[in-house]
């Protein structure tokens, strides 16, 4: 007979859900993980992994274009779309098989089907009700949002369709200069597409430090990406050959396709949450610091919880909830220590507060910041990247924010994350020796500069 009572019943098998399932099983709980599509969710199948595979191919395209500048004879001949997709799918498939193996090896019961919360302790899938003896975890993720009156379809795409275009367009308009917008702009530009970004706010990546948005905009303009900031869309029309986007002011824009990347919303509708008493706010599940909803025994993790919509936050939420249910009293997951990486060219990576946020928190006169330019960093010069490391500190206090622009910034942010999370002072970090020549050295130099001991910077 099919087992229908488990310690934990988890609704959603994406980053948050499968992490809760695996950590729960590790802690000795019996676990049912309900997933209607594929284990691994958006991140593995239509988000982080496939987009970064395409962005890697974009980097290879640019490297081949620039090879002559370092004395290597090579040339860029074009993009072989079927081969590109085969490479991407191969990466995803390998990770998917690995994940399926891991989940099976932990004795997690994977329930395939659409689940619905039918009571504070039960999830129904088809005709079967799965009961939770200890807790239910809501991990249903997020979906692409559009603008009122603008539906996805035809030439109006979300990032999911944009990942698998049957052919590369000659031109594209991207609505939204946030994370998805700039990653696709970067990718498509490297593939030879004429790209225009339309962003309503005054700068690109407005959730990041202002200096990062400005640097990215300069780099994009140099790469031939058209950037329109502070611009609102009035209407969108599709015709046989493309889309026409009318703006509140100025000439309309035309392109073959329109990518709408104006944010992702929580996926919480129609699954019985509110009927059971779970409170939603703008669709997000309301939780306390321990990720408990108002209904005892029901937790929520990942993108359904308001805050940073990042897979690694979801993983950590999942681990946290399993440990919390086991009574291990884990430390709550603070968004402020979670690194953020945008995989455009150049990359933007950050952790902690922006300068503006620090000024708001500590008062403008208490905040110090420095920018160390990668022009002074040997390895950055060798690989031909420009950008900076910016540090923000509470005067006489610890470093509260680190912001990096440049190639491989996403790898450099790991050290910065330790500095911010451990509330280190510049003087604690400055004596640490960084390998030479490495891009990491730029962080070392920035900390030296903040401690008043810079060698490789003017001033
Ligand atoms: P986002 O919130 O990062 O950016 C949306 C942008 O659209 C904002 O800059 C906003 O000002 C702009 N916008 C909103 N309405 C507009 C309008 N009417 N006209 C023009 N611009 C408008 O959301 P995005 O890029 O859709 O990404 C969704 C989520 O997915 C984000 O939270 C992001 O962190 C996550 N994500 C993370 C990635 C990573 O970590 N590398 C990669 C892709 C997505």
């Amino acid at each position: 007979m099919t087992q229908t009572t488990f310690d934990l019943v988890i609704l959603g098998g994406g980053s948050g859900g499968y992490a809760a399932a695996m950590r729960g099983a590790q802690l000795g709980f019996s676990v049912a993980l309900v997933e209607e599509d594929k284990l691994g969710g958006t991140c593995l199948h239509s988000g982080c992994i496939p987009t970064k595979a395409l962005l890697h191919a974009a980097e290879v395209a640019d490297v081949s274009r620039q090879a002559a500048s370092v004395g290597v004879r090579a040339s860029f001949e074009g993009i072989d779309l079927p081969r590109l997709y085969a490479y991407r799918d191969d990466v995803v498939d390998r990770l998917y098989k690995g994940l399926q193996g891991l989940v099976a090896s932990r004795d997690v019961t994977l329930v395939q089907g659409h689940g619905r919360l039918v009571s504070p302790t039960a999830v129904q899938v088809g005709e079967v009700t799965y009961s939770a003896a200890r807790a239910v975890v809501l991990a249903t993720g997020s979906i692409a949002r559009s603008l009122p009156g603008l539906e996805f379809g035809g030439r109006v795409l979300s990032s999911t369709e944009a990942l698998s275009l049957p052919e590369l367009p000659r031109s594209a308009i991207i609505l939204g200069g946030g994370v998805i917008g700039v990653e696709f702009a970067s990718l498509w530009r490297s593939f030879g597409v004429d790209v225009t970004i339309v962003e309503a706010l005054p700068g690109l990546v407005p959730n990041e430090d202002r200096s990062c948005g400005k640097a990215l905009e300069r780099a994009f303009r140099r790469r031939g990406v058209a950037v329109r900031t502070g611009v609102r869309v009035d209407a969108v029309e599709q015709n046989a050959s493309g889309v026409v986007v009318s703006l509140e002011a100025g000439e309309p824009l035309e392109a073959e396709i329109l990518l709408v990347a104006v944010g992702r919303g929580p996926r919480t509708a129609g699954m019985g949450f509110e009927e059971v008493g779970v409170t939603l706010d703008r669709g997000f599940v309301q939780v306390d610091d321990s990720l408990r909803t108002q209904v005892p025994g029901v937790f929520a993790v990942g993108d359904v919880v308001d805050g940073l919509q990042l897979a690694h936050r979801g993983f950590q939420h999942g681990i946290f909830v399993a440990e919390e249910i086991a009574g291990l009293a884990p430390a709550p997951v603070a968004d402020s220590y979670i690194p953020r990486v945008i995989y455009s060219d150049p990359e933007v990576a950050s952790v902690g507060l922006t300068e503006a946020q620090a000024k708001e928190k500590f008062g403008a006169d208490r905040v110090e910041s420095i920018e160390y330019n990668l022009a002074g960093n040997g390895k950055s010069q060798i690989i031909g990247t420009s950008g900076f490391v910016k540090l923000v500190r509470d005067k006489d206090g610890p470093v509260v924010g680190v912001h990096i622009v440049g190639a491989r910034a996403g790898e450099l942010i790991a050290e910065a994350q330790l500095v911010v999370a451990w509330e280190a002072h510049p003087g604690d970090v400055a004596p640490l020796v960084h390998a030479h020549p490495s891009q990491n050295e730029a962080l070392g130099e920035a900390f030296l500069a903040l401690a008043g001991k810079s060698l490789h910077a003017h001033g």
Side-chain angles (χ1 to χ4, degrees):
M1 205 181 92
T2 319
Q3 182 188 355
T4 55
T5 299
F6 293 82
D7 292 324
L8 308 183
V9 177
I10 300 170
L11 187 53
S15 310
Y18 84 67
M22 293 209 284
R23 184 69 183 121
Q26 208 172 42
L27 290 166
F29 294 132
S30 58
V31 183
L33 180 59
V34 180
E35 170 58 52
E36 66 183 342
D37 196 353
K38 285 183 181 165
L39 188 63
T42 302
C43 174
L44 178 54
H45 299 284
S46 56
C48 329
I49 300 297
T51 52
K52 273 58 200 182
L54 297 190
L55 279 156
H56 172 65
E59 186 183 345
V60 173
D62 288 332
V63 166
S64 61
R65 278 190 186 97
Q66 293 150 11
S69 66
V70 295
V72 175
R73 286 201 193 100
S75 59
F76 172 74
E77 285 169 22
I79 302 296
D80 175 351
L81 221 45
R83 183 70 203 98
L84 173 72
Y85 291 162
Y87 146 71
R88 175 201 62 191
D89 295 345
D90 189 45
V91 173
V92 171
D93 286 349
R94 262 180 286 144
L95 292 170
Y96 182 37
K97 284 201 182 78
L99 180 61
Q100 287 171 305
L102 276 176
V103 165
S105 75
R106 296 270 161 88
D107 259 348
V108 169
T109 300
L110 184 61
V111 178
Q112 208 64 61
H114 180 76
R116 188 181 166 82
L117 190 65
V118 288
S119 85
T121 55
V123 169
Q124 191 169 341
V125 183
E127 299 296 306
V128 186
T129 303
Y130 293 87
S131 301
R134 302 289 293 264
V136 172
V137 181
L138 309 177
T140 46
S142 60
I143 42 170
R145 279 201 317 244
S146 188
L147 299 179
L150 179 60
E151 283 182 16
F152 293 118
R155 294 172 179 277
V156 178
L157 317 174
S158 75
S159 59
T160 309
E161 295 86 49
L163 263 179
S164 298
L165 296 172
E167 56 191 47
L168 281 173
R170 274 191 301 269
S171 57
I173 299 169
I174 299 179
L175 199 54
V179 185
I180 292 180
V182 302
E183 287 190 351
F184 271 96
S186 190
L187 168 69
W188 283 341
R189 189 64 202 132
S190 298
F191 289 170
V193 178
D194 276 334
V195 179
T196 304
I197 304 179
V198 179
E199 164 60 48
L201 292 175
L204 290 181
V205 291
N207 293 330
E208 295 298 331
D209 193 275
R210 191 78 186 92
S211 56
C212 295
K214 282 186 183 160
L216 188 60
E217 193 169 328
R218 276 196 303 275
F220 269 12
R221 287 190 198 282
R222 274 199 304 273
R223 293 186 56 198
V225 175
V227 179
R228 305 283 302 268
T229 54
V231 172
R232 288 197 168 270
V233 169
D234 211 21
V236 174
E237 272 173 52
Q238 297 197 45
N239 56 40
S241 57
V243 263
V244 181
V245 175
S246 309
L247 307 175
E248 270 180 2
E251 291 295 301
L253 302 170
E254 285 183 49
E256 287 184 16
I257 56 169
L258 173 69
L259 167 64
V260 181
V262 296
R264 294 178 62 86
R267 195 160 163 271
T268 49
M271 287 181 286
F273 295 179
E274 283 179 294
E275 289 87 325
V276 167
V278 171
T279 318
L280 304 184
D281 176 18
R282 293 163 298 125
F284 291 101
V285 178
Q286 288 275 281
V287 290
D288 64 12
D289 280 352
S290 302
L291 301 175
R292 290 169 200 274
T293 69
Q294 264 97 340
V295 178
V298 179
F299 292 74
V301 299
D303 282 5
V304 291
V305 176
D306 198 10
L308 294 174
Q309 291 173 317
L310 298 172
H312 41 289
R313 171 177 174 262
F315 289 134
Q316 198 56 32
H317 275 179
I319 294 167
F320 171 89
V321 157
E323 295 185 351
E324 176 73 9
I325 297 163
L328 300 183
V333 183
D335 273 13
S336 46
Y337 296 145
I338 295 177
R340 310 175 290 265
V341 181
I342 303 174
Y343 295 87
S344 47
D345 174 18
E347 290 187 356
V348 176
S350 63
V351 62
L353 302 178
T354 64
E355 186 171 347
Q357 288 165 339
K359 285 182 171 163
E360 207 174 304
K361 182 166 177 187
F362 303 112
D365 55 333
R366 286 204 53 83
V367 172
E368 255 176 33
S369 73
I370 67 121
E371 255 182 54
Y372 176 77
N373 196 308
L374 296 185
N377 175 256
K379 189 62 192 283
S380 296
Q381 293 311 299
I382 291 166
I383 67 170
T385 190
S386 53
F388 58 80
V389 173
K390 175 172 177 173
L391 305 181
V392 180
R393 83 183 289 201
D394 172 19
K395 211 171 172 181
D396 308 322
V399 175
V400 294
V402 180
H403 308 273
I404 309 175
V405 176
R408 303 174 191 173
E411 304 296 330
L412 304 186
I413 203 66
E415 176 182 354
Q417 176 189 3
L418 296 183
V419 170
V420 172
W422 289 346
E423 298 180 0
H425 289 237
D428 299 329
V429 193
L432 298 176
V433 177
H434 289 77
H436 177 75
S438 67
Q439 280 185 284
N440 263 86
E441 244 182 328
L443 272 163
E445 278 286 339
F447 289 117
L448 277 171
L450 202 55
K453 305 183 206 172
S454 172
L455 279 190
H456 296 94
H458 299 284

